Amino acid sequence: MSEQDPRLGLTVTHRRYVPYAHAHYAGNLVDGAYALGLFGDVATEVCIRTDGDEGLFAGYADVRFTAPVRAGDVVEVTARVVRVGSRSRTLELSCAVVCRGRPDRGDSAAEVLDPPIVAVTATGTVVVPAPA
């Protein structure tokens, strides 16, 4: 019986405030590419932790935009390793809104969302160099 790869289940999380400069649409909506860029950042840290290399994103599967991301939000982006190949790593990715501005309460009012709103999910594949 083989031992489970210790990289499986590794989880990396980043949090980021979404600046108003990234608002792209009416209602201060941010385009979906914003979350995909954050997925790239968190996947880079996964590759560094698992393989000592920044790696490269090879592709996404099953990207789903389930709720809006707005300027003024605080988002939490998470990647979890679900498969380890010889050079590839499959990641489950999510972007959740954990805080949101409340302009109806005041110009700078905001609240913590409990529970957070999952805004984007995806499966991603990254590749790393072959071991030397």
Side-chain angles (χ1 to χ4, degrees), residues 71-84:
D73 286 350
V74 175
V75 293
E76 181 176 270
V77 181
T78 301
R80 185 170 65 91
V81 179
V82 295
R83 191 189 69 73
V84 175

Side-chain angles (χ1 to χ4, degrees), residues 86-111:
S86 60
R87 291 189 49 232
S88 66
R89 315 289 175 252
T90 302
L91 310 176
E92 285 183 351
L93 302 153
S94 69
C95 175
V97 179
V98 296
C99 299
R100 175 153 279 167
R102 290 295 307 266
D104 57 314
R105 293 186 184 167
D107 290 342
S108 60
E111 66 183 352

Side-chain angles (χ1 to χ4, degrees), residues 17-42:
Y17 175 79
V18 181
Y20 280 84
H22 287 278
H24 193 70
Y25 300 103
N28 288 319
L29 291 176
V30 175
D31 63 28
Y34 185 81
L36 297 182
L38 297 178
F39 287 165
D41 292 344
V42 74

Side-chain angles (χ1 to χ4, degrees), residues 3-11 50 80-84 90:
E3 214 173 289
Q4 181 175 326
D5 191 304
R7 296 171 288 191
L8 282 172
L10 172 77
T11 302
T50 59
R80 185 170 65 91
V81 179
V82 295
R83 191 189 69 73
V84 175
T90 302

Side-chain angles (χ1 to χ4, degrees), residues 41-53:
D41 292 344
V42 74
T44 297
E45 184 177 344
V46 166
C47 291
I48 292 167
R49 290 183 178 277
T50 59
D51 295 279
D53 189 275

